Every structure is written in C-alpha cells, then in structure tokens.
Amino acid sequence: MPSYLPWSPDQKVVPRSCEAYFGNGFTRRIDLLPSASIRGAGSFGGGGWFRCFYSETLRSSICEGGKVRMVPERIKMSRGGESLDEVVGRREEEELPVFEDGAFEVLGVGGESRKRRRLASEEFLDQYVREGEIMRHTMRELLKSVRIVEDNEFQCDEWIEEPTLFVTRFEYANLFHTVTDWYSAYVSSRVTGLPNRPHLIFLDGHCKAPLEQTWKALFSGLRYAKNFTGPVCFRRAILSPLGYETALYKGLTEEINCQGASAPDLWQKPDDQKTARLSEFGEIIRAAFGFPVNRHRIEKPALGHNVLFVRREDYIAHPRHGGKVESRLSNEQEVFDSLQKWASNYSECKINLVNGLFAHMSMREQVRVIQDASVIIGAHGAGLTHIVSATPRTVVLEIISSQFRRPHFSLIAQWKGLEYHAINLPGSYARPAVVIERLSKILRRLEC
C-alpha cells in the first residue's frame, strides 16, 4: 500500500518534530562497508555492503546490508515457533538470542576482510546503537557479532533473494509491545525504501502466539532463525530496531507533543507538531487483512452505532503465564450487563453493543470490530492498543483504576487524532450509572 506522504531520506526533518518521532527521522547515514560498486568485484560479482541510518531524535538506528550470511548454529536460543503446549515452563532467557562471533557475516572484497574482521567498532556501537535503558540490547549484540569474510568463507546452504527484515521480540504476547514491534518493522521497511512487503525472520525463540497472524498478514513470509538447518545468505537484510526504541514506547516517559492529522491535510499544509504516520500505519493493518481503506472521506454509519466493549479474559499467554489476567475493573461483567440492558432500551438510535472477547477472536475479526466501532470502551489493558487501527471518527472511552493511571492509550488517541475520554476510578470498581452517563454524552455528540 503506497504512503500518502513521502519517506524520502533527503527531506529536511527537524529534530524532535513529529516527523522525526513517527516518520523518517533516520537521516544520518553511516556506511560501515561501502557499496560493492565502488570497491571492485570478486567471484560473487562484487562484495557485500552495510550501512545504518541513525535517528538523533529516537537515538536508534535502522541497519541494512547486502550479501549477508546468517549461521544459525552460532545463535544460542530455543528453536522457536513451537506450539505453546510443547514449551510450558520454558524460561525467557532460553528464548532470547545470544550471538557468538560470526553469527552474521558480510562478504568483503579486496582484502578488506583481512584488514578488519569486525564490522562495527565499539565506538560506532556506543554512538549509534546505544544501550540506553534497555537491559538487553539484542540488536547491538548482533552487530557486535558481525564479521567481514572472504568469498571462500561465504558458503551458503540457501539464498534468499527477496529483502528480509530481522526482528527480535521481547514481550511478544502483549499487544501493546507487539504493536511497537510492528511499527518499528513498518518504519524500517519505509526508511530503506522497500517497494514491496519484505520477508520476515524472527531472531528469537518464542513459541507461536495469536499475534503472529498479524505478522503474517503484514509481511510476505515468516520464518524463525533457528528453523534454518544451515548457513543462509540474504541478498538484502534489514535489522529493525527494538520496539522499545519507537516513539510509541518512548512517549511513556518523555513528552512527545504531537497531534494526529490526516495525510491530505498535512500534504497541503505541513506542520511539525502534527503527524499522520500512525493513522497511516493503522490503514496498513486494516488493508493487510483485506479491509477497504477510504482515505478521502469518512462515511457515517447508516443505522446506529457499534459500541465495542474490550474485555479482559483469562487465558495462557506464554510459557511462563499462569492463565490469570490481572483485574483492572473488578466489576467488568456488571458494567457490561448494565450497558447491554441500557443499549437495548435506548430509543434515540440503534446501538449494537459488541462483546469484545478478543481471546476468542482471530486477529482479522479483532481488526474488523475495531474498524466498525463508533465508540471503543474498556478498562486499561493491552487490548485497547487496537485503537491504532481505528478509523478517524472513532471515540475512545477508557476506564482507569487507581493502580493503572498510565498514558498508553490517551497518547495513541492523541497521536492518531481520535477523541478520547477517561473515567478515573478511586479504586477498581466502576459504577455502571457513571459509565452509562459518559457513554450517553458521547453518543449525543455523534447525533445519536
């Protein structure tokens, strides 16, 4: 799906502007291994190349290389991609990669591999791939492992010709953190100018999870690094920054004062304090599941409104999970039942209250009910991250208990330009009458 606004790297992006946070702020290019076209040719028709694009605003880099070899046996982690039932109790440390020297290699020519075996110096890593507050920066560790080798060492069991994006996930079963990974991968593909959806490889050993459905929808193919049986070579490999390095995550601890706007409006009247990038990303998700995207006009529902109540359910999310979710709204069922009774008797317009039991829905169905909702209501929880795919006129009503006053969803709503309301509770109990009153006011503004 084409982008309405350009991602060209030669545009002048103001540091700490909305474009720098959410778009192409990766404006500083560092060539770690210059292009083969200016270094001569070897038996492979030229050596490899490697470069990084650094964002001063996000303090992170997107890196890519040509003629890159991955040696799975030099990556220590679990195999990944198993069913959850097979790996219950497995420790998280087993699922995260440890890169030995030469886990990744780039083809060098002209004796370059003899001059310097290591691709990235400590000085480079400290300046452009900073650890910051990340406890375990796997992308930095990966780059530290990369070696430049000669063509007689560059032996491959398999070549992958299409551009391939490498992603390491941490909190892979949590929707909020997974959305940060999706967004990082999406931005990486835009910044590096990929014309089509890239192939995807998980550089982690996590088991399968329902959120994998969206990864498969967004990208052309998906494999786990340890599922390869021998060395595999890539014509073009892109390293996506960790989700912790995106504006979606950084905005939780630093002020990112951006307002959501439509891409056509920003095309006509650029504004450093506005962004359409997150809204466009939501369109990408909807389009990936085959839903139509109408960029030029938003149609009002013909009859009534869908009110989606996002629920929290008990389910086993990952190998270390006991199956019980932490309650954020102690009387959630009571609130839902009261809303259902109220909606059935509401006479101003037709209201369809949707029971958002996401743990029992496919990802496509989850995206569909988000897209169709006029109002999304729910207690603070990862499921509300789905508002990233909501259409522009959607209204968000978040019920926040006293223990979970966090800005995740108010910020996403702000950055998308969605109308947002909150009910702040003194504890974890919500009076149904208060919720109904707030929802009634919202619906009246929607002429319902």
Side-chain angles (χ1 to χ4, degrees):
M1 182 175 172
S3 177
Y4 199 98
L5 298 171
W7 286 79
S8 54
D10 56 353
Q11 59 182 320
K12 293 182 179 179
V13 177
V14 178
R16 299 186 67 81
S17 65
C18 295
E19 178 62 14
Y21 274 114
F22 292 98
N24 193 355
F26 297 85
T27 53
R28 182 166 186 180
R29 172 174 160 173
I30 307 98
D31 286 289
L32 292 169
L33 190 62
S35 171
S37 62
I38 62 173
R39 292 187 293 117
S43 62
F44 279 84
W49 52 271
F50 204 96
R51 62 194 177 203
C52 293
F53 300 93
Y54 177 71
S55 167
E56 176 187 335
T57 300
L58 294 174
R59 303 177 297 283
S60 70
S61 294
I62 295 169
C63 298
E64 64 169 340
K67 296 184 179 175
V68 174
R69 185 173 91 133
M70 178 180 73
V71 186
E73 66 179 20
R74 297 175 187 166
I75 305 173
K76 304 305 178 186
M77 63 183 178
S78 51
R79 188 172 187 273
E82 310 94 340
S83 67
L84 177 56
D85 293 342
E86 295 177 61
V87 295
V88 170
R90 185 166 67 189
R91 295 178 300 121
E92 185 177 22
E93 307 88 78
E94 299 176 58
E95 299 178 346
L96 296 176
V98 175
F99 301 103
E100 297 180 349
D101 282 353
F104 283 80
E105 298 171 336
V106 185
L107 178 62
V109 296
E112 191 148 21
S113 59
R114 290 188 292 274
K115 294 176 188 174
R116 57 184 185 105
R117 298 284 292 185
R118 186 185 295 273
L119 175 71
S121 66
E122 288 288 343
E123 181 182 4
F124 167 84
L125 294 172
D126 289 342
Q127 188 168 359
Y128 299 111
V129 194
R130 306 173 191 174
E131 286 181 323
E133 297 180 1
I134 299 172
M135 296 293 291
R136 186 171 174 183
H137 202 307
T138 50
M139 182 174 172
R140 179 187 171 98
E141 293 169 5
L142 185 160
L143 286 169
K144 197 172 182 178
S145 81
V146 181
R147 295 291 178 265
I148 304 171
V149 299
E150 298 180 35
D151 55 9
N152 63 343
E153 301 175 79
F154 202 78
Q155 304 301 315
C156 313
D157 288 358
E158 179 181 352
W159 268 95
I160 294 182
E161 297 293 336
E162 66 177 311
T164 302
L165 197 64
F166 289 84
V167 172
T168 300
R169 305 163 299 161
F170 279 74
E171 299 172 68
Y172 72 104
N174 177 286
L175 181 61
F176 174 78
H177 290 285
T178 298
V179 167
T180 68
D181 288 331
W182 290 342
Y183 195 70
S184 183
Y186 165 69
V187 171
S188 297
S189 65
R190 291 296 200 192
V191 168
T192 53
L194 300 184
N196 301 305
R197 296 186 304 158
H199 189 70
L200 180 72
I201 289 181
F202 285 149
L203 275 173
D204 59 58
H206 299 309
C207 65
K208 288 181 180 177
L211 295 174
E212 201 167 297
Q213 296 170 31
T214 305
W215 284 109
K216 290 179 178 178
L218 288 170
F219 298 94
S220 67
L222 188 160
R223 294 178 73 174
Y224 286 77
K226 291 291 281 186
N227 287 188
F228 291 95
T229 56
V232 56
C233 294
F234 301 89
R235 196 67 63 185
R236 187 179 181 187
I238 300 105
L239 306 182
S240 177
L242 300 176
Y244 298 128
E245 298 179 284
T246 63
L248 288 166
Y249 186 81
K250 286 180 176 285
L252 300 177
T253 54
E254 62 184 82
E255 185 176 2
I256 302 179
N257 189 22
C258 296
Q259 298 293 325
S262 73
D265 286 348
L266 287 181
W267 175 262
Q268 295 176 1
K269 189 178 180 181
D271 189 332
D272 286 341
Q273 300 306 309
K274 293 182 179 179
T275 182
R277 296 301 190 190
L278 206 55
S279 291
E280 192 170 70
F281 174 61
E283 292 174 348
I284 294 291
I285 294 175
R286 299 203 304 272
F289 283 107
F291 297 117
V293 175
N294 188 341
R295 288 180 159 180
H296 301 290
R297 59 192 179 93
I298 306 300
E299 296 181 356
K300 293 183 179 180
L303 293 171
H305 292 274
N306 285 354
V307 175
L308 171 64
F309 194 109
V310 178
R311 308 290 299 274
R312 288 180 63 80
E313 300 178 80
D314 290 339
Y315 71 102
I316 299 177
H318 55 76
R320 296 157 295 283
H321 193 254
K324 296 287 289 184
V325 298
E326 189 173 9
S327 175
R328 309 285 173 85
L329 179 59
S330 59
N331 63 324
E332 181 181 286
Q333 188 62 50
E334 179 190 5
V335 172
F336 179 79
D337 291 342
S338 298
L339 285 173
Q340 197 168 42
K341 182 178 179 180
W342 168 80
S344 64
N345 295 317
Y346 193 75
S347 58
E348 300 300 320
C349 69
K350 179 176 174 56
I351 297 175
N352 178 32
L353 183 65
V354 180
N355 193 3
L357 296 170
F358 284 172
H360 291 81
M361 296 182 186
S362 68
M363 289 303 297
R364 187 179 192 279
E365 181 66 9
Q366 292 177 44
V367 173
R368 186 189 67 78
V369 296
I370 288 287
Q371 175 183 259
D372 293 345
S374 296
V375 182
I376 298 172
I377 180 173
H380 180 93
L384 282 179
T385 317
H386 268 308
I387 64 174
V388 76
S389 301
T391 54
R393 291 183 67 251
T394 305
V395 182
V396 180
L397 175 58
E398 182 180 5
I399 304 172
I400 308 174
S401 71
S402 58
Q403 291 184 312
F404 295 96
R405 301 207 193 285
R406 299 168 184 169
H408 297 64
F409 311 115
S410 62
L411 288 173
I412 293 175
Q414 174 187 319
W415 297 331
K416 275 182 61 72
L418 301 179
E419 183 180 333
Y420 172 88
H421 303 269
I423 299 174
N424 290 298
L425 306 177
S428 63
Y429 179 87
R431 290 171 53 205
V434 172
V435 179
I436 289 171
E437 180 185 5
R438 293 295 295 274
L439 182 56
S440 297
K441 289 181 179 179
I442 291 170
L443 289 169
R444 283 197 292 271
R445 282 198 293 273
L446 295 177
E447 300 179 0
C448 176

